[in-house]
Amino acid sequence: MQYRTPEQSTIDDLLALELQGFPPDEAAPKETILYRLSNAPELFLAGYDQDDSLVCMINGTAIAGEVLTHEAMYEHDPFGRTYCIHSVVVAKQHWRKGLGSKLLVHMLEKIKQETCINLVLLLCKGHLINFYKQAGFVLVGESNVDHGADQWFEMRLDINK
């Protein structure tokens, strides 16, 4: 797996992958993905197979505070020290191969080495809590963010530099 920041010209592939991971009422629209890629490229990473096909991606934005709000999904503070992960998606044909875990670990290492981020926040559904716990995240509790039909849970990871 090769990891790199995707090119903006691949937006249709990125959107298609986003829609594999989230229902339409939760998936980030094209404009939001482009915003994250344009404004926070250091927080956007994609994984490609040996044929250079898009397999997985992780993206988000930085904020100055320590609370993940609905607005944080659509804003980026380049001086923020909190990374809000908004999408961790693996193409369906590659599910259950450990690629999401590898991508997450790779991004966390990248953040430690290349940024001033010291806290990572994310929202996930209940069935993914253990996935993120295995990566070192701690469950904060139910989130107040209303995004789609399901309940979301907030998780956090303090980065030790």
Side-chain angles (χ1 to χ4, degrees):
M1 188 71 48
Q2 289 187 340
Y3 299 106
R4 66 179 183 266
T5 301
E7 299 293 326
Q8 288 189 15
S9 62
T10 65
I11 185 59
D12 291 334
D13 294 335
L14 297 169
L15 181 59
L17 184 58
E18 176 83 1
L19 288 166
Q20 287 186 45
F22 296 97
D25 66 330
E26 296 173 359
K30 186 180 208 173
E31 298 76 24
T32 301
I33 295 171
L34 277 173
Y35 176 84
R36 294 173 188 165
L37 188 53
S38 299
N39 293 280
E42 71 281 6
L43 303 176
F44 203 126
L45 194 64
Y48 298 87
D49 65 14
Q50 66 275 10
D51 298 323
D52 207 35
S53 296
L54 178 65
V55 173
C56 54
M57 71 173 176
I58 183 171
N59 66 73
T61 55
I63 62 171
E66 295 187 0
V67 177
L68 203 163
T69 63
H70 192 269
E71 293 76 25
M73 290 188 271
Y74 306 99
E75 299 172 355
H76 174 65
D77 178 348
F79 302 106
R81 296 178 58 96
T82 300
Y83 175 34
C84 299
I85 296 176
H86 304 310
S87 296
V88 177
V89 184
V90 176
K92 284 186 180 182
Q93 68 268 31
H94 295 287
W95 285 2
R96 305 277 182 211
K97 296 180 182 178
L99 299 179
S101 297
K102 290 177 184 173
L103 174 67
L104 185 59
V105 167
H106 190 84
M107 178 57 105
L108 294 174
E109 284 302 316
K110 181 180 186 298
I111 286 170
K112 287 178 188 177
Q113 294 172 9
E114 299 176 11
T115 74
C116 64
I117 299 290
N118 58 18
L119 176 65
V120 181
L121 300 174
L122 63 83
L123 300 179
C124 71
K125 297 198 180 169
H127 70 278
L128 291 171
I129 291 172
N130 285 334
F131 170 79
Y132 289 108
K133 279 185 174 180
Q134 290 174 358
F137 284 80
V138 175
L139 177 63
V140 174
E142 289 186 4
S143 172
N144 293 327
V145 173
D146 182 21
H147 186 71
D150 296 329
Q151 175 65 55
W152 292 87
F153 295 87
E154 184 171 338
M155 302 196 74
R156 71 181 283 141
L157 175 67
D158 291 297
I159 301 286
N160 298 320
K161 295 200 176 199

